[in-house]
Amino acid sequence: MSEAELNRGQKLRDIKRFNAKKYKELEQRLRHRSSPSEWEAVMKDSENVLEIDGLKVHFYTDIGTVKAVDGASISIPRGKSVGIVGESGCGKTVTSLSIMRLLQEPQGQIAGGAIRFNPGSGPAVDLSKLPQEKMERIRGGDITMIFQEPMTTLNPVLTIGKQLDEAVKFHSQKNSNGSRRIAARSVEMLKAVGIANAEGVYRMHPHELSGGMRQRVVIAMALMCDPKLIIADEPTTALDVTIQAQILDLLRSIKSKTDASIMLITHDLGVVSEMADIVLVMYAGRVVEQGPVREIFHNPCHPYTIGLMLSRPGVKSSGKRLYSIPGNVPNPVELPDYCFFRSRCDSSIRSCAGAYPPMARIDASGHCAACYRHVNDAGGASHGKK
Amino acid sequence: MEKSELMLEIYDLKKHFPIKKGLMQRTAGYVKAVDGVSFSIKRGQTMGLVGESGCGKTTVGRTLLRLLSPTGGRSIVDGVDIFSLSKKELRLMRPKMQLIFQDPYSSLDPRLPIGAIIGEAVAEHGIAQKKEIRDYVLKAMQDCELRPYQYDRYPHEFSGGQRQRVCIARALALNPELVVADEPVSALDVSVQAQIINLLRDLQEKRSLSYLFISHDLSVVEYISDTVGVMYLGSLVEFATKPELFKHPLHPYTKALLSAAPTPDPDAKTNRIVLKGDIPSPANPPPGCRFHTRCPECKKVCEEDAPAFKEHSPGHWASCHFAQ
Ligand SMILES: Nc1ncnc2c1ncn2[C@@H]1O[C@H](COP(=O)(O)OP(=O)(O)OP(=O)(O)O)[C@@H](O)[C@H]1O
Ligand SMILES: Nc1ncnc2c1ncn2[C@@H]1O[C@H](COP(=O)(O)OP(=O)(O)O)[C@@H](O)[C@H]1O
Ligand code: SF4
Ligand code: SF4
Ligand SMILES: [Mg+2]
Ligand SMILES: [Mg+2]
């Protein structure tokens, strides 16, 4: 065997050993019976429903540690909708699965940071440390999730009605609701999401419904328990444009009628611009820019955000060549210790060779970008992280 | 032979798929996936074909190339009636008309290196001499911005955008004149999408290719097309030049489709036409105007009489009783 092959073999063995250690650590953590003092938390801002602070999510794979989320911080204010955009693989879904504690363990683990959730009544909790049995109460109750593919949520062998009723029964206090009252509420909810034949659909199975109707049912289910936070991961990506328009209309009306916060994940800049109050742009596992929707669309500051906006074909670009960001996303196993976007950036400056850029404040609206180009503009960087 | 001005003409194209039922696989009816579609594409131009999932776009593309056997109609590529050719004559025509697929993941053989994938049809059609194939393929790869060292790499080592480049290189290595691109960028992220669209445009300019560009994304179609056709349930409901179609849509479905696409401008006023209900099944299309179950402008006559596909102003066709 050549030296290179021997080295490679050694490297693979090291990875295996490291992963085994990580699996064991997780097992120990899961066995440990934690006390409330370990998972109770204090919100930085009591107006927030959710505060994600420096979240790290790692996947311990055969080729090494995939840093799918590498220090992302996200705040979601009460009653607002926060849009998260970024390209495939940037960590959007992994972030939302971490909030729901649905990561594929033990390969996938929360490796650092906090996810503080404010249920309104009672103390805030750090979801990343909450015992699974407590998490089960929150999942589908105070926090619900709408997936891209509605059949991930629906059970193919149960009727729609049964599934909606069960969601309520599981999350409400015992005896407080009679079965008939629950059924009536389920039908009511189906009507609220625009299903015309609600009584009929209540008795149907998922396969009898079209894709758009299924997604409406999933949305009805998500609303059944008056959630504080709805996470919608590409809720319209699998749907046709005219059906997408119906579902976006529905989400908009829910937004105006409830005070639930919405975390909307999408790669479609059009969808965020219509639905979100606040937009976060993710790149390679980190938030690189955030701010009010108007700011992000009219005054994008991070070179990656600017590139994304320019790449989109539109009337104005007709005839001209489209802008395209050169190069590729960095390998998530070997993230650099400087700006992750540097190898593709067309406006890097001398300081970009240094450490990963801090979040720089652009203006008083809450608009910030992790980019050295903006560190000395408009009042300098707010060194949020060490 | 003199080159005709029209690269592609199709007349009343039809493709019906039998619905098989029961143990005996009896034919219980037909899905009229494409039911009478006519249009043409000028040499060197791009026609965009839009419509929702299942409306028949892919079937139009495959049938006109005779990759599916047609149920009816005519398809004329560069003056040659494709449906009347013998198997052998068709094979000789093949290099001239190529298809690029939607899914760059499943359309490449995972066991072959990229060079072999691109070279396969080049050898089969005798486009380059055996000894020269490697150089020929490398040139085709270079045209599609693939690097020479990637010649011996396997598909799984490529990203989605790179695989789509391989698919394009494979099609273009045969020197086609007509390319049917079926959702070539739909599976890709925006930034990668831009690279592929630029590549397709550059190649078109260099070789004066004609494209039938199938997509459900109106912004992409608006960017790349010279003319646009809109399909609904197996039929073309509107056809016009791009500026005309986007500025003066005549058919209520086109209007709804144009208004449905979310705009990346938070200040844009959305006067959205939200259509009611679901897309009907093409196995059982509604009588009269096929769009009448969802049309916001539907009148009594629409439920009974199917509107004709008529030319309302020069080059602008639509099928609606009330189009004007
Ligand atoms: N081999 C087949 N057998 C039976 N039905 C078919 C077959 N191929 C296509 N169809 C049907 O024909 C209709 C049109 O299909 P086609 O794939 O052409 O639509 P499309 O507009 O390209 O859809 P998408 O956007 O989902 O790719 C659909 O209802 C489809 O189910
Ligand atoms: N089960 C898994 N095992 C290994 N890597 C994973 C797994 N799930 C996701 N990843 C990796 O995590 C990163 C982020 O993925 P994801 O959050 O799904 O992206 P998206 O932004 O498209 O939703 C990617 O690099 C992906 O390959
Ligand atoms: S920090 Fe430098 S390299 Fe990174 S995005 Fe900003 S300008 Fe580009
Ligand atoms: S013919 Fe009638 S139903 Fe059909 S599109 Fe026109 S107005 Fe609508
Ligand atoms: Mg995802
Ligand atoms: Mg298709």
Side-chain angles (χ1 to χ4, degrees):
Chain A
M1 258 194 286
S2 71
E3 196 167 327
E5 275 172 66
L6 280 171
N7 279 340
R8 186 135 42 89
Q10 183 57 42
K11 206 171 153 203
L12 288 178
R13 272 193 299 282
D14 286 348
I15 290 173
K16 264 218 173 91
R17 200 168 311 130
F18 180 75
N19 290 353
K21 185 174 134 233
K22 286 292 171 187
Y23 291 6
K24 193 151 212 171
E25 279 174 21
L26 179 76
E27 209 180 299
Q28 280 166 357
R29 250 183 289 145
L30 291 179
R31 231 183 291 133
H32 168 70
R33 292 198 65 85
S34 55
S35 60
S37 66
E38 288 169 69
W39 37 261
E40 274 180 10
V42 180
M43 303 300 284
K44 270 203 190 133
D45 181 344
S46 61
E47 274 308 297
N48 285 337
V49 169
L50 193 82
E51 286 170 358
I52 298 180
D53 217 340
L55 179 70
K56 290 187 183 217
V57 184
H58 294 176
F59 287 93
Y60 302 103
T61 72
D62 295 344
I63 53 155
T65 301
V66 174
K67 294 179 182 163
V69 177
D70 192 44
S73 299
I74 297 171
S75 294
I76 302 185
R78 187 189 320 282
K80 296 277 185 206
S81 57
V82 173
I84 302 191
V85 287
E87 291 179 80
S88 151
C90 74
K92 307 182 295 291
T93 300
V94 170
T95 303
S96 56
L97 291 179
S98 310
I99 299 171
M100 298 295 274
R101 290 280 299 281
L102 289 172
L103 286 172
Q104 194 194 343
E105 289 173 339
Q107 291 82 6
Q109 298 183 20
I110 295 177
I115 306 175
R116 292 185 293 271
F117 173 62
N118 179 4
S121 55
V125 290
D126 183 344
L127 299 178
S128 70
K129 305 202 173 62
L130 206 62
Q132 277 292 359
E133 71 271 12
K134 292 243 183 291
M135 195 63 220
E136 268 166 34
R137 292 277 143 197
I138 292 183
R139 203 186 288 140
D142 278 346
I143 307 181
T144 53
M145 190 151 173
I146 302 166
F147 292 93
Q148 169 170 346
E149 175 40 63
M151 287 313 287
T152 358
T153 313
L154 297 175
N155 183 332
V157 300
L158 297 181
T159 62
I160 300 300
K162 181 118 181 97
Q163 301 189 50
L164 287 172
D165 294 354
E166 280 307 316
V168 179
K169 283 184 194 153
F170 182 75
H171 286 285
S172 61
Q173 268 70 29
K174 282 190 187 70
N175 308 328
S176 66
N177 273 310
S179 305
R180 205 175 293 143
R181 287 251 305 280
I182 293 178
R185 186 170 151 71
S186 297
V187 171
E188 203 52 47
M189 204 46 101
L190 287 174
K191 282 189 189 145
V193 297
I195 288 181
N197 169 22
E199 281 89 359
V201 167
Y202 181 85
R203 270 178 251 109
M204 286 183 193
H205 286 86
H207 69 86
E208 295 172 78
L209 306 177
S210 69
M213 283 169 86
R214 284 181 202 157
Q215 200 58 300
R216 283 172 197 275
V217 169
V218 170
I219 293 172
M221 196 179 288
L223 294 174
M224 284 300 281
C225 302
D226 292 323
K228 304 285 178 302
L229 173 64
I230 302 170
I231 303 175
D233 189 354
E234 307 268 4
T236 58
T237 305
L239 303 174
D240 276 312
V241 242
T242 62
I243 310 296
Q244 163 169 293
Q246 295 173 351
I247 298 292
L248 290 181
D249 233 38
L250 171 63
L251 287 175
R252 238 192 310 270
S253 83
I254 288 168
K255 212 181 111 179
S256 64
K257 281 187 206 140
T258 72
D259 65 348
S261 308
I262 300 179
M263 176 170 155
L264 175 73
I265 295 173
T266 173
H267 65 274
D268 188 330
L269 293 170
V271 171
V272 261
S273 98
E274 287 195 8
M275 298 294 301
D277 302 312
I278 298 165
V279 177
L280 277 78
V281 183
M282 280 186 81
Y283 184 76
R286 292 203 185 186
V287 176
V288 295
E289 181 160 6
Q290 67 183 69
V293 63
R294 265 192 197 76
E295 276 291 311
I296 299 290
F297 279 87
H298 293 326
N299 179 28
C301 289
H302 194 284
Y304 174 65
T305 315
I306 296 171
L308 266 191
M309 299 283 176
L310 290 176
S311 305
R312 205 173 179 280
V315 210
K316 281 191 217 110
S317 55
S318 207
K320 284 178 266 166
R321 267 180 83 79
L322 281 176
Y323 177 80
S324 74
I325 305 172
N328 285 310
V329 288
N331 179 349
V333 179
E334 289 156 4
L335 289 171
D337 51 12
Y338 46 85
C339 173
F340 295 172
F341 192 61
R342 203 181 86 190
S343 62
R344 309 176 73 187
C345 185
D346 59 8
S347 38
S348 62
I349 48 177
R350 225 181 316 133
S351 15
C352 304
Y356 190 90
M359 263 291 178
R361 210 180 96 165
I362 309 292
D363 58 33
S365 70
H367 187 177
C368 0
C371 173
Y372 281 115
R373 283 244 156 218
H374 298 278
V375 164
N376 294 317
D377 299 4
S382 59
H383 291 267
K385 295 205 346 245
K386 42 152 187 149
Chain B
M1 198 178 70
E2 200 184 311
K3 297 210 165 187
S4 63
E5 193 210 357
L6 294 176
M7 188 64 223
L8 173 72
E9 302 154 73
I10 67 172
Y11 299 102
D12 201 23
L13 189 73
K14 286 187 179 148
K15 175 67 192 175
H16 299 174
F17 294 102
I19 306 169
K20 301 282 187 193
K21 270 235 172 90
L23 277 179
M24 306 301 292
Q25 289 295 292
R26 200 167 36 82
T27 299
Y30 290 91
V31 177
K32 297 181 177 172
V34 176
D35 204 24
V37 167
S38 310
F39 59 76
S40 55
I41 303 178
K42 285 200 188 124
R43 186 178 297 278
Q45 291 211 335
T46 299
M47 169 174 160
L49 187 60
V50 291
E52 293 178 89
S53 166
C55 72
K57 307 180 295 295
T58 302
T59 311
V60 166
R62 302 188 71 105
T63 311
L64 73 88
L65 295 176
R66 212 170 132 185
L67 295 168
L68 289 170
S69 63
T71 305
R74 292 202 300 152
S75 166
I76 295 163
V77 176
D78 200 12
V80 178
D81 185 341
I82 296 298
F83 296 166
S84 68
L85 296 180
S86 70
K87 280 244 163 65
K88 198 166 152 223
E89 290 166 325
L90 182 63
R91 213 180 88 85
L92 291 175
M93 272 295 278
R94 276 282 165 238
K96 198 171 190 164
M97 37 184 211
Q98 286 293 309
L99 178 68
I100 300 170
F101 298 92
Q102 168 164 12
D103 183 2
Y105 293 89
S106 63
S107 58
L108 299 177
D109 186 340
R111 292 160 306 182
L112 290 181
I114 297 310
I117 289 177
I118 300 170
E120 207 173 22
V122 174
E124 189 191 320
H125 289 286
I127 298 209
Q129 296 293 315
K130 253 224 165 74
K131 275 179 280 170
E132 289 155 10
I133 284 187
R134 191 183 167 95
D135 288 337
Y136 186 87
V137 169
L138 284 170
K139 172 78 178 50
M141 286 174 63
Q142 192 189 356
D143 285 349
C144 295
E145 291 151 34
L146 291 161
R147 306 273 162 267
Y149 75 87
Q150 292 170 327
Y151 187 93
D152 297 309
R153 299 288 164 93
Y154 289 83
H156 71 88
E157 297 172 61
F158 288 71
S159 70
Q162 288 171 326
R163 287 182 210 214
Q164 198 56 285
R165 285 178 200 280
V166 173
C167 295
I168 294 172
R170 175 175 58 181
L172 295 197
L174 303 180
N175 293 320
E177 291 174 42
L178 172 68
V179 173
V180 174
D182 188 1
E183 308 256 11
V185 296
S186 303
L188 308 172
D189 274 324
V190 252
S191 71
V192 186
Q193 217 178 57
Q195 297 169 4
I196 299 294
I197 292 173
N198 284 338
L199 174 65
L200 287 171
R201 282 188 61 143
D202 291 348
L203 291 166
Q204 177 168 48
E205 247 163 58
K206 265 189 234 153
R207 307 185 179 192
S208 98
L209 293 169
S210 311
Y211 290 134
L212 176 64
F213 192 96
I214 298 174
S215 178
H216 64 269
D217 186 337
L218 283 163
S219 55
V220 173
V221 164
E222 180 172 19
Y223 176 75
I224 203 164
S225 308
D226 299 300
T227 56
V228 181
V230 181
M231 276 187 82
Y232 188 78
L233 275 189
S235 313
L236 213 52
V237 296
E238 186 156 3
F239 178 84
T241 61
K242 171 184 67 185
E244 175 72 8
L245 189 108
F246 280 85
K247 277 202 206 88
H248 309 290
L250 290 176
H251 198 282
Y253 177 65
T254 311
K255 291 179 194 165
L257 211 55
L258 292 181
S259 82
T263 43
D265 178 359
D267 292 333
K269 277 201 283 300
T270 42
N271 287 322
R272 177 161 297 152
I273 307 167
V274 177
L275 295 176
K276 312 163 287 192
D278 286 314
I279 306 161
S281 154
N284 191 12
C289 173
R290 290 185 169 200
F291 185 54
H292 89 252
T293 52
R294 303 177 75 205
C295 182
E297 294 166 34
C298 173
K299 304 262 173 359
K300 190 89 193 96
V301 51
C302 309
E303 293 167 23
E304 287 141 22
D305 295 336
F309 193 53
K310 277 195 313 216
E311 192 169 18
H312 291 267
S313 62
H316 193 158
W317 297 68
S319 58
C320 170
H321 291 304
F322 306 103
Q324 47 183 308

